[in-house]
Amino acid sequence: MIYAVAVFAPLFGSLVAGLSGRLIGDRAAQAVTILCMILAAICGSTAFVQLVFQGGSPGTVALGTWLDVGQFQAPWALRYDTLSAVMVAMVTFVATLIHIYSVGYMGHEKNPVSRFFSYLSLFTFAMLMLVTADNLLQLFFGWEGVGLASYLLIGYWFDKPSACAAAIKAFVVNRIGDLFFAVGIALVFFLFGSIEFSAIFAAIGQHQNAIYHVLGADFRAYEVIGVLLFLGAMGKSAQLGLHVWLPDAMEGPTPVSALIHAATMVTAGVFLMARMSPLLDYAPGALAFITVIGGSTALFAATIGCAQNDIKRVIAYSTCSQLGYMFVAAGVGAYQVSIFHLITHAFFKALLFLGAGSVIHAMSDEQDMRRMGGIWRKIPATYALMWVGSLALAGIFPFAGYFSKDAILEAAYASGSAVGLYGWVCGMLAAFLTAFYSWRLLIMTFHGAPRADHHVMEHVHESPPVMILPLVVLAIGALVAGFALKGLFIGPDWAAFWAGSIANAPDNHVLAAMEELPVWVGFAPLVVGLAGIGTAYLFYMVDPEIPVRLAARFGGVYRLLLNKWYFDEFYDWLIVRPYFALARLLWQVGDATLIDGMPNGAAALAADGSRRIVKLQTGSIAVYAFSMLIGLVVLVSVFLLFR
Amino acid sequence: MNAVGFPILSLLTWLPLVGGLVILSVRGDEATVAANARWTALWTSLIVFALSLILWVRFDRTEPGFQFVESLPWLPEYGVGYRMGVDGISVLFVLLATALTPICILSAWDVIRTRVREFMLAFLILETMMVGMFCAADFIVFYMFFEGVLIPMFLIIGVWGGPRRVYAAIKFFLYTLLGSVLMLLALLAIWHQAGTTDLAVLLHTAIPPAMQSWLFFAFLASFAVKVPMWPVHTWLPDAHVEAPTAGSVILAGVLLKMGAYGFLRFSVPMLPLASAEFAPLIYALSVIAVIYTSAVALAQTDMKKLIAYSSVAHMGVVTIGIFTFNVQGIAGALFQMLSHGVVSAALFLCVGVVYDRMHTREIARYGGLVHRMPAYAVTFLVFTMASIGLPGTAGFVGEFLVLVGSLRVNFWLALLGGSGMILGAAYMLYMYRRVVFGRLTREDLKSILDLSPREVALFAPLVILTLWMGIYPSSFTTFFDASVGAMVDQHAAFFPPVQLAGVLAR
């Protein structure tokens, strides 16, 4: 019951704020949504504690029928197991903090902001529906619902053309993944005759060797399903190839970036992998694919993060990269580890984004780090909190990221497979780059000579307590979540904690293998991270000429990174512009000329023909008599000839 | 006589015509006549709608065959009768028609200023024809209503339409008539074969395989134009652009369903062998429709034309679903028809709202409407999202069920037929952005007014219906579960159980 309250309280807040926001005013709308969120957070945490620590039993909360056609059944129901409860607790907790933070951040808006709070709560509701789904279709409902909220929030400042474009881009790119996801759901139904998780997982053994024929070859059906679902996850979680929407999504207000594009929505793909773990564990090919894409994304996005100048974009690419890590963990079968990193990442990445928001707030909406610098004395609290976030992100002991990132790299190494090793190498390189760009960000933003004009500098001010307090709470999370949760999530008793909500196949021993690795594997990420910090210190603090010389020396590489590997340009050239050209061609040539040409031509022919025939009717008796005579002659001759 | 004790279907069919006669008998100056015509038409259509709710309540959802049957001898020696009846497949379309007609009449309230009496009369006649067509349980009766729909619609486009109304009206008329002629031939052939035109009998009459192919193509010619399927779709954008708002609404909402309804009523159950044989052709045309018209929609500069092209794409999904011959596919197709009836009708109303104010449908003439019209922006967004097929709105259910059904046939059919999910999002959001978002720069838009109470009354039921159909579609799917199940079983009986494509071995 309290579980259902946790899910539906945000919806209630969203409806009140959205439908009557203009009536009750901004203050009341904010109060309603925040109270609903606090209620949801209390209920969500209680539900989690009851389940895990007080011996509560997992189950489902039935709400009603959604679809029931033939054998295709999709009820509305809330699934209550460890995985869902963990996610509910995290989502409601982080979302509540971000709601509170937004009161301060959106305080300077000229227009009413009840709409903003309505959207935020709507997003939270959709995300909760996603993580509590009891069947794949309801998961898809939440999946698309967060997509809608993301679209609305990225385009929140609808006067800005760039924000509108980014919103459409996010929606359409996500839809590409969603199509594959939907086909995957259909295939699950085709194979299992059901899309409810309990029914699917119960029948895993029966269909192991089912074959599906596609792309001119036979594949095991589980592999096909795994790949299709992962393609969906790639869209939502911004993995290599479908990542292009995430950096642009930074057009939205910063709390949105923190909630949706760092802590929760983008991790939905990872959640999906963990949710489908009983099936994926029997799809080694799909898992290998996931590992390769995840590892590549982790490294690829980290390289871009090193060359960006927009403070939010650096963090966005960092998110992309960290999601890659999570997929590496899922790909080697360590789903528990991926969820561990998902949770710790939610704390420190939300902290970093909100910290960046605090900086932007202080700098009169400046986002370019080249026009910052020298402000750390003016906003010491933000500065300190950004340090905490960066330490956690870079994986420095004892911050949260140290435990979870370490575990991912250990799992990748322990898997012993070639793709696992690939994921490990990518992860190690990315760990170095992560630390590097994090300190590049810190130093460029806070240190050195001030590069903003004096108007901005005079205005630099610490954010109000309503913004700083949520940051402090998140910082505490970023500090303690690692060692507090490690024992539960991936400790020796993980099986008791997850209670079957994440299931491993009998031959999946990756978690056990992690315990038996050489010592250096455990220390390597920390060393690499410290090296990254040192390099950044050398480059940007000691001798700022080094990066300039490097950029000049390796101009090609620098431009490649600065322009994000030219992905946007490539897609524009390959897809967007040809598609628009094709659209015009099909319309003006295909429809207007060819297809319409036939009826229009026939009509013209008929009109033309009759106009000529009309001319025969001259009204002259002599002509008529003459033609009758000719006709008679022809008739008689034919009759005589062929008699 | 039937479940309610009086001939309800005939009443629903002919009552609008009675209202039309009342309108005809009004005398007085022009303003009086116009006012009387409006109110008479509105009340007539509302009464018809209220009566049609009896069907909603009393329809037996477990019974797959015809219900509320009426039968009068007409030409008994030839097996022709005046037979009415609805089954699970048709009953919701009757309700769709009776629900949309009052909305259309209200939407034309003070927009149509010339020949108001004739306009309202045409609409009531149109309602008679539409309802009669969905209620007909005799082929001859069906054919007469099917053709009869053309006449009032032809006039609505041709008299109250835009600048190119005559071209559009004649194109609309000729396209649909040309197809119907072939259907008439098919009808005669079937009549000759079976000796009766009673649908309940015809649905179980075996037609020789050699004949099925010819009949199939004759039907295809008629229904494909009505759907419309690619490449006979070009009459639709023209008709929509030129038609007045109310005409577009009813055209998109109900008339477009006639073709797909014909496939379901005749082609699939009566010609199972030919349907199965030529299903790949339908798949190909439908997939082309989805991809081709979605692309064309993106390039449009006229709001109505864009939505018209999107209709063709959405109906492509419907035809895929019908010819999958499985429960999910056909149920999905039916649901998609209903949801498209509500959503596209609402989208045309949305265009009508701004057209009434600015007298242009050029997308480029708008921008930033959200600043002046927040309620309109929300309404428009709801229907945009429903058109895109967002889960929780009506548009999702049908599209997804068809996807499930088509995957049983072929992976690529599912993937390509589902590509409307992506392409649809592109053109709809692109239009929404250009019309609603952005800065409000044009001088003439700076005083534009938000929705009036009349417009709120128009949209409120459609918004509720869209969400209802999305969140609790079972209210609707239970109507046709039994009929669809029976149809699928009947179809499957013609074919030996074959290995389904895809999963080969366990």
Side-chain angles (χ1 to χ4, degrees):
Chain A
M1 188 56 216
I2 55 164
Y3 199 55
V5 172
V7 174
F8 286 99
L11 176 67
F12 177 76
S14 169
L15 288 177
V16 171
L19 296 179
S20 59
R22 278 161 192 272
L23 217 66
I24 58 178
D26 265 9
R27 283 283 152 209
Q30 287 172 352
V32 170
T33 48
I34 290 173
L35 284 177
C36 285
M37 278 315 305
I38 291 174
L39 177 67
I42 292 171
C43 292
S45 314
T46 314
F48 170 68
V49 170
Q50 279 180 351
L51 179 68
V52 177
F53 300 110
Q54 298 175 353
S57 54
T60 51
V61 183
L63 300 171
T65 320
W66 184 13
L67 261 182
D68 184 1
V69 173
Q71 292 91 44
F72 190 92
Q73 287 165 337
W76 292 111
L78 304 180
R79 188 176 175 85
Y80 183 44
D81 64 5
T82 309
L83 181 59
S84 292
V86 165
M87 293 297 288
V88 168
M90 184 276 280
V91 169
T92 51
F93 183 70
V94 174
T96 306
L97 293 178
I98 287 171
H99 272 74
I100 295 170
Y101 176 93
S102 302
V103 174
Y105 192 84
M106 302 302 279
H108 298 321
E109 283 290 298
K110 283 192 287 290
N111 296 321
V113 294
S114 58
R115 190 165 62 91
F116 181 78
F117 282 83
S118 172
Y119 291 169
L120 272 189
S121 286
L122 175 70
F123 166 79
T124 313
F125 165 69
M127 189 68 203
L128 291 170
M129 286 301 273
L130 193 162
V131 297
T132 59
D134 193 37
N135 59 64
L136 278 169
L137 202 67
Q138 188 181 329
L139 202 156
F140 194 69
F141 168 83
W143 189 270
E144 295 277 281
V146 292
L148 167 69
S150 164
Y151 165 80
L152 292 171
L153 283 165
I154 295 170
Y156 180 75
W157 287 312
F158 45 65
D159 278 352
K160 271 167 70 183
S162 56
C164 293
I168 295 181
K169 186 174 177 183
F171 199 95
V172 173
V173 173
N174 264 299
R175 267 289 166 114
I176 297 173
D178 295 350
L179 173 61
F180 290 100
F181 188 9
V183 175
I185 297 174
L187 189 54
V188 167
F189 174 70
F190 189 14
L191 193 63
F192 291 94
S194 172
I195 53 163
E196 286 178 71
F197 291 127
S198 44
I200 299 170
F201 300 155
I204 286 290
Q206 295 168 26
H207 303 287
Q208 270 195 55
N209 300 315
I211 299 293
Y212 192 72
H213 185 85
V214 68
L215 285 171
D218 285 337
F219 296 97
R220 285 185 49 237
Y222 285 9
E223 303 279 18
V224 180
I225 292 172
V227 169
L228 286 171
L229 295 186
F230 177 62
L231 287 172
M234 279 176 72
K236 195 103 303 182
S237 295
Q239 293 299 288
L240 189 60
L242 294 179
H243 67 282
V244 287
W245 64 271
L246 184 60
D248 288 19
M250 298 302 128
E251 291 290 342
T254 305
V256 173
S257 313
L259 178 61
I260 302 185
H261 306 117
T264 54
M265 182 184 87
V266 288
T267 60
V270 181
F271 169 79
L272 177 67
M273 296 299 112
R275 177 50 88 205
M276 295 304 287
S277 56
L279 187 146
L280 283 175
D281 244 13
Y282 291 95
L287 285 179
F289 180 59
I290 294 171
T291 314
V292 170
I293 295 285
S296 307
T297 309
L299 181 57
F300 157 83
T303 59
I304 298 178
C306 294
Q308 295 301 305
N309 292 314
D310 182 317
I311 183 168
K312 282 179 72 180
R313 286 195 182 232
V314 174
I315 309 178
Y317 277 106
S318 154
T319 305
C320 204
S321 167
Q322 296 300 310
L323 290 165
Y325 275 102
M326 298 178 210
F327 280 111
V328 169
V332 297
Y335 312 97
Q336 299 86 341
V337 177
S338 69
I339 295 295
F340 182 32
H341 195 54
L342 190 162
I343 300 287
T344 58
H345 175 259
F347 284 108
F348 63 70
K349 192 50 68 68
L351 172 63
L352 279 172
F353 259 122
L354 295 183
S358 182
V359 171
I360 295 166
H361 200 68
M363 298 292 291
S364 313
D365 292 332
E366 180 59 70
Q367 300 197 12
D368 193 330
M369 295 192 297
R370 285 170 302 189
R371 287 196 285 275
M372 293 181 182
I375 54 171
W376 70 276
R377 278 178 214 278
K378 296 194 171 192
I379 46 173
T382 305
Y383 177 61
L385 292 163
M386 288 291 278
W387 259 89
V388 174
S390 300
L391 286 167
L393 173 62
I396 305 300
F397 184 83
F399 292 89
Y402 166 77
F403 296 93
S404 53
K405 190 186 284 184
D406 219 33
I408 288 178
L409 292 169
E410 282 176 5
Y413 191 86
S415 73
S417 61
V419 289
L421 203 62
Y422 173 79
W424 183 77
V425 170
C426 287
M428 288 302 283
L429 292 173
F432 173 78
L433 296 173
T434 306
F436 174 76
Y437 65 65
S438 298
W439 263 262
R440 175 177 175 267
L441 184 150
L442 275 179
I443 296 168
M444 280 182 81
T445 307
F446 293 101
H447 291 277
R451 295 181 292 275
D453 61 44
H454 65 278
H455 290 299
V456 174
M457 287 306 287
E458 279 164 18
H459 272 104
V460 172
H461 57 285
E462 190 57 273
S463 297
V466 71
M467 288 169 70
I468 294 296
L469 282 179
L471 285 179
V472 172
V473 178
L474 286 172
I476 294 170
L479 190 57
V480 304
F483 56 78
L485 298 178
K486 187 180 183 202
L488 287 175
F489 279 38
I490 56 172
D493 291 331
W494 63 264
F497 174 75
W498 292 108
S501 59
I502 294 180
N504 287 129
D507 58 345
N508 181 345
H509 302 299
V510 67
L511 283 182
M514 280 168 62
E515 304 299 320
E516 292 151 17
L517 289 174
V519 181
W520 67 269
V521 178
F523 280 110
L526 182 62
V527 174
V528 170
L530 289 172
I533 296 173
T535 314
Y537 186 77
L538 183 69
F539 275 28
Y540 293 94
M541 207 72 175
V542 178
D543 185 1
E545 284 304 303
I546 297 177
V548 178
R549 279 202 303 275
L550 277 177
R553 182 85 188 274
F554 303 102
V557 177
Y558 176 69
R559 277 195 300 279
L560 181 70
L561 298 183
L562 186 66
N563 290 300
K564 307 158 271 182
W565 292 56
Y566 295 103
F567 256 93
D568 281 326
E569 289 76 5
F570 177 65
Y571 282 163
D572 199 44
W573 172 80
L574 182 74
I575 300 169
V576 180
R577 267 181 290 159
Y579 186 63
F580 270 93
L582 177 76
R584 276 189 297 275
L585 184 80
L586 288 180
W587 175 30
Q588 270 147 9
V589 178
D591 257 28
T593 310
L594 294 179
I595 294 179
D596 262 359
M598 277 181 275
N600 289 348
L605 201 69
D608 216 39
S610 63
R611 216 171 292 128
R612 286 182 193 188
I613 290 170
V614 162
K615 286 186 183 149
L616 290 179
Q617 300 183 349
T618 53
S620 153
I621 307 261
V623 174
Y624 291 168
F626 185 65
S627 36
M628 275 166 75
L629 190 66
I630 289 180
L632 194 66
V633 168
V634 170
L635 189 72
V636 169
S637 357
V638 169
F639 178 74
L640 289 175
L641 279 173
F642 295 97
R643 184 163 50 129
Chain B
M1 183 169 182
N2 63 44
V4 287
F6 63 96
I8 179 157
L9 296 180
S10 289
L11 199 63
L12 289 178
T13 304
W14 300 110
L15 200 59
L17 212 56
V18 176
L21 290 177
V22 173
I23 290 178
L24 269 185
S25 65
V26 174
R27 288 287 175 272
D29 61 33
E30 203 178 322
T32 323
V33 171
N36 270 315
R38 285 187 189 115
W39 283 108
T40 314
L42 183 64
W43 276 111
T44 311
S45 59
L46 283 175
I47 291 169
V48 171
F49 175 62
L51 276 174
S52 67
L53 290 178
I54 294 175
L55 295 184
W56 177 276
V57 178
R58 300 296 295 272
F59 186 84
D60 179 359
R61 303 184 185 199
T62 56
E63 162 65 43
F66 284 107
Q67 302 181 30
F68 306 104
V69 177
E70 301 161 24
S71 181
L72 291 174
W74 186 10
L75 294 170
E77 58 271 43
Y78 298 108
V80 181
Y82 172 82
R83 299 186 186 91
M84 301 291 250
V86 285
D87 65 354
I89 288 165
S90 54
V91 61
L92 289 177
F93 293 107
V94 176
L95 286 160
L96 183 68
T98 58
L100 282 181
T101 305
I103 289 177
C104 286
I105 288 172
L106 201 58
S107 80
W109 202 252
D110 41 21
V111 177
I112 300 291
R113 291 166 194 277
T114 53
R115 303 174 197 269
V116 178
R117 172 161 69 173
E118 288 78 4
F119 184 84
M120 294 299 166
L121 183 63
F123 244 93
L124 290 176
I125 296 175
L126 185 61
E127 186 174 19
T128 289
M129 297 299 167
M130 291 185 305
V131 174
M133 191 205 66
F134 288 120
C135 290
D138 184 280
F139 208 157
I140 300 279
V141 178
F142 170 85
Y143 185 80
M144 292 192 340
F145 284 120
F146 190 81
E147 295 298 289
V149 169
L150 274 183
I151 300 163
M153 197 62 214
F154 174 71
L155 294 175
I156 288 169
I157 298 174
V159 176
W160 292 274
R164 290 178 74 229
R165 58 181 179 267
V166 175
Y167 171 77
I170 292 180
K171 194 173 183 181
F172 163 74
F173 197 91
L174 286 182
Y175 256 90
T176 43
L177 195 70
L178 204 66
S180 311
V181 170
L182 293 171
M183 182 169 78
L184 183 62
L185 281 178
L187 190 162
L188 294 173
I190 290 175
W191 189 3
H192 184 72
Q193 181 75 24
T196 176
T197 54
D198 185 352
L199 279 185
V201 178
L202 286 183
L203 291 182
H204 301 282
T205 306
I207 292 172
M211 213 172 138
Q212 286 200 10
S213 301
W214 294 111
L215 293 176
F216 182 83
F217 279 102
F219 282 144
L220 181 65
S222 175
F223 299 145
V225 170
K226 287 269 184 188
V227 169
M229 293 172 74
W230 188 87
V232 286
H233 63 281
T234 54
W235 63 268
L236 185 71
D238 283 324
H240 268 311
V241 167
E242 299 307 324
T245 301
S248 290
V249 171
I250 209 75
L251 180 60
V254 183
L255 266 56
L256 286 198
K257 310 298 159 325
M258 289 163 56
Y261 176 72
F263 280 128
L264 272 175
R265 182 97 294 166
F266 303 105
S267 302
V268 173
M270 283 162 58
L271 313 169
L273 299 175
S275 293
E277 191 182 346
F278 296 110
L281 172 72
I282 303 282
Y283 299 153
L285 293 180
S286 307
V287 167
I288 292 175
V290 170
I291 295 172
Y292 178 108
T293 52
S294 292
V296 174
L298 186 74
Q300 296 308 310
T301 56
D302 179 307
M303 293 163 80
K304 263 189 162 180
K305 226 169 183 171
L306 191 150
I307 299 168
Y309 275 109
S310 85
S311 291
V312 182
H314 283 138
M315 295 311 285
V317 173
V318 171
T319 42
I320 291 176
I322 292 173
F323 283 86
T324 58
F325 311 117
N326 59 47
V327 176
Q328 285 83 26
I330 293 180
L334 273 166
F335 202 91
Q336 173 85 346
M337 285 155 77
L338 292 168
S339 80
H340 179 264
V342 175
V343 173
S344 71
L347 282 171
F348 279 115
L349 283 174
C350 285
V351 178
V353 166
V354 288
Y355 181 77
D356 293 344
R357 287 161 174 68
M358 307 307 299
H359 301 286
T360 176
R361 294 178 308 266
E362 276 296 303
I363 294 173
R365 287 277 288 105
Y366 294 97
L369 288 184
V370 63
H371 291 273
R372 292 280 310 169
M373 311 174 74
Y376 174 73
V378 173
T379 314
F380 198 1
L381 184 70
V382 169
F383 296 120
T384 300
M385 284 298 157
S387 172
I388 292 172
L390 193 81
T393 64
F396 171 70
V397 178
E399 212 165 295
F400 185 76
L401 284 174
V402 170
L403 186 78
V404 171
S406 54
L407 188 83
R408 274 179 190 270
V409 177
N410 183 295
F411 178 81
W412 293 105
L413 181 65
L415 196 67
L416 295 176
S419 63
M421 255 178 77
I422 303 167
L423 307 176
Y427 63 72
M428 285 308 290
L429 293 180
Y430 186 45
M431 173 176 79
Y432 188 78
R433 171 198 167 180
R434 285 179 291 167
V435 173
V436 175
F437 286 157
R439 282 210 179 79
L440 191 73
T441 48
R442 291 186 170 276
E443 280 307 314
D444 51 355
L445 290 177
K446 285 189 176 158
S447 56
I448 196 167
L449 294 176
D450 207 350
L451 297 181
S452 68
R454 176 179 66 88
E455 286 159 343
V456 172
L458 285 179
F459 284 118
L462 294 173
V463 170
I464 291 169
L465 203 55
T466 303
L467 296 178
W468 180 11
M469 289 173 77
I471 294 168
Y472 193 65
S474 298
S475 319
F476 303 88
T477 54
T478 46
F479 273 99
F480 49 74
D481 268 347
S483 298
V484 170
M487 183 189 285
V488 170
D489 290 343
Q490 194 193 332
H491 183 85
F494 283 93
F495 299 92
V498 285
Q499 193 74 52
L500 288 169
V503 175
L504 301 172
R506 291 284 153 94

